[in-house]
Every structure is written in C-alpha cells, then in structure tokens.
Amino acid sequence: MQRRELAGEATWLGFRSITRYVATARWPGLSSLREWLFAVATEDRMVEEIVALVADEKIDLVWAVLSNGPIIRVAERIARSRVVPMVSTVLDDPEYFGRNQMLDPLTRRYMMAQFSAVLGRTVRISVISESMRDYYQNRYGVQSIIMRHGIDERLYIDWNSNRLSRGIIKIGFAGSLYAKNEWNALLRAIDSKDGRIAGKEVRVYFIGRFPRIGAKISACVERLGPMSFESTLRTLGTMSMAYLPYWFDARNAMAARTSFPGKLSAYAASGLPVLYHGPRDSSAARFLGLYPFGVCCHSLDEPAIYEAIVRIVGDTGFSRCAGEARAQALDQELSRSVMLGRFCELVDCDTGELGPTVHSVPSAGARSESMPRPRGK
C-alpha cells in the first residue's frame, strides 16, 4: 500500500471510524528501514489516536489482529497502557512474515519480543490452527482459541462422488499460488503421462491471478481468472478434486506447520475431495488426518503424485468415507456458525448479541453496533 498521512475518517455504523495506511516493503534493507521509520514518525501519533477513540466512543475491548510489525508495535503499546482490555488474533506466525518481508535479524528479534509481550498482556488469544495453538502453549505458555475462516452454510455444495467417474479428471485450484515448486511438480507428473491418468484426460483449472514468474504452465492448464467467492465455489463444485500445495522447503517450515489455508475451508464447502501436496507435519496434513476428506502426497516425485490422484478417482471406498469426513469437518470446524461461536468466545459474549447482521471489525479496535460488549464490562 502507498502510505498516506490521512487515509480516512468517517462514520461507520454510527461510530467514528479512523483508517490509516502504513507503508511496507519486501526488499532487504528497505523493509527494515520502513519499520523503524514507522516507529519514529508514526507510532506515537497512531497510539494517541486509538487511545482518544477508545475514550470518545466508549470502547471497552480492543481486538488486534497481529498481522505485521507496525500493528504488533501499536498493540504492545495499547496493551501495556492497559487503557482497555485487549484480545488478539494470530493468522500467521511473525517469525514467518518477518522473514517473508525480508526484515533484518535485529528488527525481527525486536518484533518477536514485542509479540511475546502482547501475548502476555492479552486477555484472550485466537490462533488459526491446532499446531499454532500447541506451539504457542509450549513457547509462550498461553492458552488460545482456534478461530479460522468459516463458510456460510447456505453456500455449501453437496458431495457428489459420481463426478469422479466422468471422462475427464478436473483438478481445481483457487486463490493465490505460493507453493510454486509443488505446483510445477504436479504439472510434470501429469505431463509425464501425456495428460492422462487412469485412462482419463486430466485438466487443471486455475481460479485467481496466475503468478507472473516461477509457476509452470502446460497444455493441461486452463486459467479462469479471478472470480467472486460464490462463483469460485460454484465452479469448484464442477471439479473432480481440489489441489492444495504447501511448501516442502525449510525456509517456509514454520508457515507450513502453523498457518491454516483458507483454501481448505473453500474446498470443503464446494464438496470436493482434496489432493494435499506438502510436508507431513503441516497444519493442513494434521487437519486432513482428523477429517480425511483428502489424500496426502508428501513427495515431489512424479510416481507419488500420480498414485495420489489415482486413489482419489479410483477408490470408491475413499470417496464414501471422504464424504462423511467432509461433512464432519464443516459441522465441527469450518462453518460460519463455528467461526462466530469462537469469535464470541474470544470477545466474551453470547452469539445472540451479534444481531441479525455480523460485520467485520477493524484490527485497531473500533467497535461497531454489531460487535458485542463483553459481559461484565
């Protein structure tokens, strides 16, 4: 984002709302420089604005989504001031996005120290996966709530095992492609069989913006471009399976172990078995171990990828059990109802207090009419 001194002030659901943008970078040196410039030129003013907003709007709880260095810095200041209780959410571990943003070691260490301080002063914490929950309990001694993206039950597409017997094996991929080496290995496996597996033609459908560099393209790939979320689910619902690649390389080991792919929620809602392609110790592999509506391939070798696809399209026993596991995953973990229930646990309210319409809540802690006030506050 381009940095703006005043990104906007408005009335949001009857409350004064302030939006500020902070410059970030992904270049060695420049990314760290921008972090420290924020600390010198912007941090104090932003903290003062939030404290004033808390007082003016009678905010009784701040919700901080700890998604980058500047937010962690501001959250640590607000938590330390104890002007209002704070709850926090972690979607990606900062050790991962600190390296991904190419922060230097000193800046990363400082950010991790502040992150630890925020967790220590936070009333409640939500994390994205079971693996992150366990890791934070062991490292920081904190208990946390698992809260991840849940899909509106009205958008679910029925599980239909008959589509696996169609003349074409359709492999769907939706969203951003980060694990490019794994994607390239998939296409090599398909191309090595001349685009046919188990006697059927294989087509791969890419929904989203295809990477400009690093990702292989072949004759079996059809790029459908970006779609709305509902259109994405409908399109995926016509596929034979969904493809979920995760990094094998050591550099991204922390992200693979602790993050949770939103794709998995979308794939489950679209009624698809999942071809998971990544390491054994990832959060996605752990989840599919609990709810086996997918087949895991833990290798970049072409025969292993081929065998995983064959199992999905040729094993009727797997399809039947996978359909039951998918229904359990949605009911117990990946539905909108589960997500809202855990959000209410995070902010300490009853689900009935959310009102008929639930709005997103900004990470800086501005309260909306539909965001409940914690009990006893």
Side-chain angles (χ1 to χ4, degrees), residues 5-24:
E5 288 299 320
L6 181 63
E9 295 194 26
T11 300
W12 181 64
L13 300 173
F15 293 86
R16 187 162 64 93
S17 171
I18 299 175
T19 303
R20 296 286 184 267
Y21 292 96
V22 176
T24 60

Side-chain angles (χ1 to χ4, degrees), residues 143-328:
Q143 300 291 329
S144 53
I145 302 160
I146 297 175
M147 186 176 71
R148 46 196 159 213
H149 179 53
I151 309 298
D152 190 330
E153 292 86 342
R154 294 171 295 183
L155 300 179
Y156 290 178
I157 296 173
D158 291 339
W159 182 274
N160 179 7
S161 60
N162 291 332
R163 65 170 154 246
L164 301 180
S165 61
R166 293 174 183 171
I168 300 177
I169 298 173
K170 297 182 178 181
I171 302 176
F173 175 92
S176 299
L177 177 59
Y178 302 108
K180 297 175 183 178
N181 290 336
E182 291 71 21
W183 165 270
N184 294 342
L186 170 73
L187 297 191
R188 285 196 300 270
I190 295 172
D191 290 344
S192 71
K193 300 294 182 179
D194 296 323
R196 301 186 70 84
I197 293 180
K200 299 176 182 179
E201 180 185 355
V202 180
R203 301 290 298 171
V204 181
Y205 297 86
F206 190 101
I207 302 172
R209 290 184 174 84
F210 197 81
R212 294 182 180 179
I213 58 174
K216 177 181 172 65
I217 191 73
S218 73
C220 69
V221 176
E222 184 172 341
R223 290 176 283 185
L224 303 180
M227 297 182 182
S228 69
F229 185 72
E230 293 188 19
S231 296
T232 296
L233 291 187
R234 288 196 297 268
T235 303
L236 286 172
T238 67
M239 304 291 167
S240 307
M241 68 186 75
Y243 179 59
L244 177 60
Y246 243 42
W247 308 275
F248 280 104
D249 62 280
R251 184 176 184 273
N252 291 299
M254 173 62 71
R257 283 197 302 269
T258 60
S259 64
F260 187 85
K263 294 179 181 65
L264 198 50
S265 298
Y267 291 167
S270 62
L272 290 181
V274 174
L275 171 58
Y276 166 74
H277 190 196
R280 295 178 186 274
D281 63 348
S282 75
S283 62
R286 178 174 178 176
F287 189 85
L288 289 173
L290 296 171
Y291 303 97
F293 62 98
V295 169
C296 295
C297 176
H298 305 302
S299 172
L300 294 173
D301 294 337
E302 295 166 13
I305 299 170
Y306 175 85
E307 291 172 7
I309 296 174
V310 168
R311 184 182 172 199
I312 292 178
V313 299
D315 188 340
T316 56
F318 161 77
S319 181
R320 182 177 60 255
C321 295
E324 297 172 357
R326 173 256 186 177
Q328 291 178 345

